[in-house]
């Protein structure tokens, strides 16, 4: 009888206890959101490195038609995950994950050469504070943005093999300018742990802007000597940071 009472008390205590570290579910899902101009296939090297480590990795292909559409596309993928996820964003993808990261099954965020906006900020607001080195962004007549193919390699992927950079220049994903003008409403990094990778040779986002945003968000930060396409030129460094985040969130 005494053993039964002890068992019942233990079960009641477990039921009443908050979900602490002892009951934390390991983070084995990684959801990656690519930025503007390069699509999800360019993340293949990072995908392979992480899947080899046992992670389930999914790359979102946002339509780039509006921030709302891109956030919805990301949440659609998050809803399919079994268990908590690390949500990763590159470049404009940082805007997307900041908004989509409020989803309950997002354990934490990783920003890779990305924007980390606060509430009420737009990508254009942030970019204007510390303008990037590139001057090659242009707009189509119907309001979509692209990077001049003639300077794409130098300003986006300077440390990527020339043949690959040339292909990227001619297979760009054009984002709607309106997506860059849309304000963030609820930044996920205010309530969740975040990490940031600063590409020190980045010409698409000013490195000092990335440092400022990461400091404001309280992100654990690493710096890598790489271009904006750091996920291609330094995939091991990117995968290492994502794995570090997942491990920390699982402790």
């Amino acid at each position: 009888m005494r053993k039964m009472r002890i068992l019942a008390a233990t079960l009641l205590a477990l039921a009443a206890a908050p979900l602490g570290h002892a009951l934390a579910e390991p983070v084995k899902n990684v959801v990656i959101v690519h930025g503007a101009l390069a699509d999800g296939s360019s993340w293949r090297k990072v995908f392979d490195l992480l899947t080899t480590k046992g992670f389930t990795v999914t790359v979102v292909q946002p339509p780039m038609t509006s921030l709302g559409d891109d956030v919805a596309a990301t949440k659609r993928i998050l809803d399919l995950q079994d268990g908590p996820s690390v949500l990763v964003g590159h470049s404009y993808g940082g805007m997307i994950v900041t908004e989509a990261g409020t989803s309950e099954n997002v354990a934490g965020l990783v920003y890779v050469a990305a924007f980390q906006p606060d509430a009420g900020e737009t990508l254009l607001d942030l970019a204007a504070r510390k303008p990037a080195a590139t001057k090659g962004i242009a707009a189509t007549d119907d309001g979509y943005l692209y990077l001049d193919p003639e300077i794409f390699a130098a300003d986006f992927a300077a440390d990527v093999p020339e043949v690959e950079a040339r292909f990227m220049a001619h297979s760009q994903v054009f984002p709607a300018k309106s997506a860059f003008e849309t304000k963030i409403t609820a930044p996920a990094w205010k309530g969740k742990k975040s990490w940031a990778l600063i590409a020190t040779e980045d010409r698409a986002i000013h490195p000092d802007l990335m440092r400022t945003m990461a400091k404001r968000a309280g992100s654990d930060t690493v710096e890598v000597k790489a271009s904006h396409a750091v996920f291609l030129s330094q995939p091991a460094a990117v995968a290492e940071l994502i794995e570090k985040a997942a491990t920390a969130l699982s402790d």
Side-chain angles (χ1 to χ4, degrees):
M1 191 67 180
R2 181 172 176 273
K3 289 182 179 180
M4 291 295 292
R5 287 198 298 270
I6 292 174
L7 177 59
T10 301
L11 291 173
L12 285 171
L14 287 172
L19 291 177
H21 292 302
L23 297 179
E25 188 174 354
V27 179
K28 300 302 292 182
N29 299 314
V30 176
V31 174
I32 297 169
V33 183
H34 69 76
L37 308 179
D39 70 14
S41 65
S42 56
W43 281 80
R44 178 62 186 270
K45 294 177 182 178
V46 175
F47 176 96
D48 288 344
L49 288 168
L50 290 171
T51 53
T52 298
K53 292 292 186 72
F55 291 97
T56 298
V57 184
T58 308
V59 182
V60 181
Q61 298 280 26
M64 299 282 167
T65 47
S66 72
L67 180 60
D69 289 346
D70 297 337
V71 169
T74 302
K75 288 185 174 181
R76 194 174 301 125
I77 296 300
L78 287 169
D79 288 345
L80 296 176
Q81 305 308 302
D82 182 14
S85 298
V86 174
L87 185 57
V88 182
H90 171 253
S91 193
Y92 163 63
M95 306 292 293
I96 300 171
V97 303
T98 295
E99 195 82 354
T102 55
S103 296
E104 288 186 7
N105 64 344
V106 172
L109 305 104
V110 177
Y111 292 87
V112 178
F115 290 97
Q116 287 183 258
D118 202 347
E121 293 177 340
T122 72
L123 186 151
L124 292 182
D125 290 337
L126 291 167
R129 292 176 191 173
K130 287 187 173 72
T134 186
K135 305 300 179 187
I137 297 292
T140 62
D141 290 341
D142 59 345
Y144 282 75
L145 303 175
Y146 66 96
L147 180 58
D148 182 352
E150 293 299 316
I151 62 171
F152 187 99
D155 284 3
F156 191 97
D159 49 1
V160 172
E162 182 182 352
V163 172
E164 193 167 2
R166 188 184 313 122
F167 174 77
M168 293 174 70
H170 293 279
S171 61
Q172 298 182 45
V173 180
F174 290 24
K177 184 183 177 186
S178 61
F180 288 13
E181 298 170 334
T182 303
K183 294 180 180 180
I184 293 297
T185 59
W189 53 258
K190 286 194 171 181
K192 298 183 181 183
K193 180 67 177 171
S194 63
W195 288 257
L197 184 150
I198 312 299
T200 62
E201 310 304 304
D202 202 318
R203 291 178 59 83
I205 304 177
H206 199 299
D208 284 344
L209 176 61
M210 287 189 277
R211 294 181 182 108
T212 298
M213 293 184 293
K215 182 178 180 180
R216 176 179 66 179
S219 303
D220 285 355
T221 305
V222 298
E223 298 204 2
V224 178
K225 187 177 181 180
S227 72
H228 194 56
V230 59
F231 51 92
L232 270 174
S233 63
Q234 301 275 357
V238 174
E240 181 181 353
L241 182 61
I242 295 170
E243 182 181 8
K244 178 182 178 181
T247 301
L249 292 166
S250 298
D251 288 343

